């Protein structure tokens, strides 16, 4: 009888230990043969390899960059090298008096604002007939452009004044004041390159003889490269 009681106690103890061990093992649910990836818990390694994306998942698309606007003109802070032909009057002395001689100029411009441009130009005239003769002119002025830097075509008004000497064998003889007021437009093929056309009113005043000469519709064309 004593041996039977001991055997029963040992059997019950074995069943209790087996039941406790069974509760610590996570049951595996049978599936279709695929392995289920464990879900990362808060204490899992953050650098662990993440489960592969499903076939239906698509990677997030990167935002597209905004299109770059084409055209437009130069604006505030731009510096340009320019060349102009016509409309830059340099007095010329002949046997019958003082007349105007249109000479080309070269110079540079600076955009102080998106519409206001400062101009600085130099021009020369020369004749090589019976004797060598030369005249020159130096001008300062401004262009005021209408519309905005986003427009390729910019209407403008132009004002320039300067000092010059008539074409003469004595360089500097007959120094005078000359200038022009006009209007036109500047077309920008790119913000770095443009062509200008204008019409205006030109004048010249000789210091030595007081001769005043006025011309209307003085045409001029020019080109500029901006940096």
């Amino acid at each position: 009888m004593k041996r039977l009681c001991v055997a029963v106690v040992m059997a019950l103890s074995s069943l209790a230990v087996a039941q406790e061990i069974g509760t610590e093992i996570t049951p595996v649910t049978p599936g279709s043969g695929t392995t289920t990836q464990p879900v990362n818990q808060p204490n899992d390694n953050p650098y662990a390899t993440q489960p592969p994306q499903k076939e239906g998942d698509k990677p997030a698309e990167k935002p597209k960059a905004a299109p770059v606007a084409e055209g437009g003109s130069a604006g505030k802070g731009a510096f340009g090298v320019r060349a102009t032909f016509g409309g830059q009057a340099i007095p010329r002395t002949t046997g019958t008096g003082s007349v105007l001689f249109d000479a080309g100029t070269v110079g540079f411009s600076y955009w102080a604002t998106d519409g206001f441009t400062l101009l600085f130009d130099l021009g020369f005239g020369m004749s090589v007939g019976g004797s060598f003769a030369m005249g020159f002119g130096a001008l300062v002025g401004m262009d005021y452009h209408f519309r905005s830097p986003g427009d390729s075509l910019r209407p403008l008004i132009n004002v320039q004044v300067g000092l010059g000497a008539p074409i003469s064998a004595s360089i500097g003889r007959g120094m005078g004041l000359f200038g022009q007021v006009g209007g036109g437009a500047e077309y920008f093929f790119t913000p770095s390159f443009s062509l200008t056309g204008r019409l205006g009113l030109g004048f010249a005043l000789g210091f030595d003889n007081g001769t005043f000469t006025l011309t209307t519709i003085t045409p001029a064309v020019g080109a500029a490269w901006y940096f």
Side-chain angles (χ1 to χ4, degrees), residues 49-76:
T49 303
Q50 298 297 322
Q53 296 181 342
K54 297 179 180 180
E55 294 182 359
D57 296 341
K58 295 182 179 180
E61 296 182 357
K62 296 182 179 179
K64 297 181 179 180
V68 179
E70 298 181 357
S73 68
K76 182 178 179 180

Side-chain angles (χ1 to χ4, degrees), residues 130-153:
S131 62
F132 177 80
M134 186 180 73
F136 68 92
L139 303 98
V140 295
M142 56 81 66
D143 280 341
Y144 184 81
H145 298 79
F146 298 94
R147 297 184 179 176
S148 68
D151 297 310
S152 296
L153 182 63

Side-chain angles (χ1 to χ4, degrees), residues 10 59 98 158 183 216 223:
M10 293 181 64
S98 179
N158 168 260
T216 58

Side-chain angles (χ1 to χ4, degrees), residues 19-225:
Q19 183 177 3
E20 183 177 353
I21 294 174
T23 58
E24 296 178 356
I25 301 175
T26 303
V28 178
T29 302
S32 59
T34 59
T35 302
T36 304
Q37 296 293 336
V39 179
N40 287 342
Q41 300 297 326
N43 295 329
D44 288 348
N45 183 4
Y47 301 101
T49 303
Q50 298 297 322
Q53 296 181 342
K54 297 179 180 180
E55 294 182 359
D57 296 341
K58 295 182 179 180
E61 296 182 357
K62 296 182 179 179
K64 297 181 179 180
V68 179
E70 298 181 357
S73 68
K76 182 178 179 180
F79 176 85
V81 178
R82 51 191 255 123
T84 305
F85 178 77
Q88 313 284 16
I90 297 177
R92 178 184 180 187
T93 301
T94 66
T96 58
S98 179
V99 299
L100 289 178
F101 174 75
D102 287 339
T105 62
V106 293
F108 63 90
S109 57
Y110 175 75
W111 290 67
T113 69
D114 287 336
F116 182 76
T117 309
L118 298 175
L119 309 175
F120 304 88
D121 294 298
L122 292 174
F124 296 89
M126 182 176 64
S127 69
V128 289
S131 62
F132 177 80
M134 186 180 73
F136 68 92
L139 303 98
V140 295
M142 56 81 66
D143 280 341
Y144 184 81
H145 298 79
F146 298 94
R147 297 184 179 176
S148 68
D151 297 310
S152 296
L153 182 63
R154 304 286 301 273
L156 61 84
I157 57 174
N158 168 260
V159 178
Q160 284 183 280
V161 294
L163 296 174
I167 296 177
S168 172
S170 300
I171 300 176
R173 180 181 178 182
M175 184 78 70
L177 175 71
F178 63 98
Q180 60 198 13
V181 178
E186 187 168 5
Y187 183 80
F188 290 82
F189 294 90
T190 71
S192 299
F193 176 72
S194 69
L195 291 179
T196 304
R198 66 172 186 262
L199 296 174
L201 177 70
F203 70 90
L205 175 64
F207 292 154
D208 54 351
N209 54 20
T211 301
F212 181 79
T213 306
L214 182 68
T215 61
T216 58
I217 314 180
T218 55
V221 292
W225 293 263

